């Protein structure tokens, strides 16, 4: 909801999605910054993550600007948030600034996360990501993961 040009913060989903967007700015990826936040049922933050190269792997501009190489090296925000959590994620909610890809969907399901909140994808999404997104949504539905897509 927007009031006077600014969104009024009355919804926890929007607050945590805003936090995921803020965390996305920590990524060094020049073309796609993604952030993730995992919270428990009491709205306590369990973990955060952003997309980037693995720890101790040089994230040079040459690597980050080489799309194919970057895609082979990058660890997605959702995966980093899951890996950094150091706790049982069963029943938790994942907020992510971009709809999860199919690779991440499998890890989200395996981790025990029960709900995913993300922005509704742009209508101009590339076919490659559209296919992955649709597969993710099918996997979430089949496994009982609730998905809430928010139009921003």
């Amino acid at each position: 909801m927007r009031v006077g040009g600014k969104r009024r913060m009355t919804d926890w989903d929007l607050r945590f999605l805003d936090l995921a967007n803020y965390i996305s700015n920590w990524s060094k990826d020049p073309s796609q910054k993604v952030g993730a936040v995992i919270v428990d049922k009491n709205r306590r933050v369990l973990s955060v993550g952003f997309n980037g190269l693995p720890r101790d792997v040089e994230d040079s501009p040459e690597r980050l600007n080489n799309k194919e190489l970057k895609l082979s090296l990058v660890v997605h925000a959702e995966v980093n948030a899951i890996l950094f959590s150091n706790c049982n994620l069963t029943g938790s909610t994942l907020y992510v600034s971009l709809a999860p890809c199919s690779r991440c969907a499998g890890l989200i399901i395996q981790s025990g996360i029960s709900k995913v909140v993300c922005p509704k994808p742009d209508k101009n999404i590339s076919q490659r990501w559209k296919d992955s997104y649709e597969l993710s949504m099918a996997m979430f539905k089949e496994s009982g993961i609730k998905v809430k897509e928010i139009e921003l």
Side-chain angles (χ1 to χ4, degrees), residues 8 13-15 35 48 57-58 68 72 74 80-81 84-85 96 103-104 114 121 150 152:
R8 191 172 72 193
D13 287 337
L14 292 175
R15 291 178 188 195
V48 301
V57 173
E58 183 183 0
E68 288 306 312
S72 297
V74 73
N80 275 324
F84 298 156
S85 66
V96 62
R103 277 187 6 218
C104 289
S114 62
I150 296 177
L152 297 177

Side-chain angles (χ1 to χ4, degrees), residues 22-148:
Y22 176 79
I23 290 165
S24 74
N25 291 307
W26 300 350
S27 172
K28 292 182 181 179
D29 190 324
S31 62
Q32 187 66 64
K33 297 178 182 298
V34 182
V37 178
I38 302 173
V39 302
D40 68 12
K41 63 182 179 176
N42 296 312
R43 297 189 292 258
R44 290 180 294 205
V45 174
L46 301 175
S47 186
V48 301
F50 55 91
N51 61 316
L53 274 51
R55 177 182 23 218
D56 298 329
V57 173
E58 183 183 0
D59 52 5
S60 66
E62 295 79 26
R63 285 182 169 176
L64 292 171
N65 289 304
N66 178 329
K67 188 173 183 176
E68 288 306 312
L69 179 58
K70 177 185 71 176
L71 289 175
S72 297
L73 295 172
V74 73
V75 178
H76 289 189
E78 305 93 308
V79 175
N80 275 324
I82 290 167
L83 291 171
F84 298 156
S85 66
N86 291 325
C87 64
N88 185 341
L89 299 177
T90 302
S92 62
T93 299
L94 170 71
Y95 295 87
V96 62
S97 63
L98 185 69
C101 71
S102 57
R103 277 187 6 218
C104 289
L107 295 168
I108 291 164
I109 293 164
Q110 290 296 89
S111 73
I113 290 169
S114 62
K115 182 178 178 183
V116 174
V117 180
C118 61
K120 190 168 183 79
D122 188 310
K123 293 175 186 175
N124 299 323
I125 189 172
S126 72
Q127 190 61 47
R128 173 184 177 173
W129 289 111
K130 182 178 180 188
D131 292 344
S132 185
Y133 161 77
E134 289 173 353
L135 184 56
S136 296
M137 294 302 119
M139 291 168 67
F140 289 146
K141 183 176 182 179
E142 187 174 332
S143 64
I145 304 286
K146 294 176 187 165
V147 177
K148 182 175 182 178

Side-chain angles (χ1 to χ4, degrees), residues 2-13:
R2 293 200 181 269
V3 177
K6 293 185 180 180
R7 187 170 53 214
R8 191 172 72 193
M9 294 311 241
T10 58
D11 182 65
W12 282 101
D13 287 337

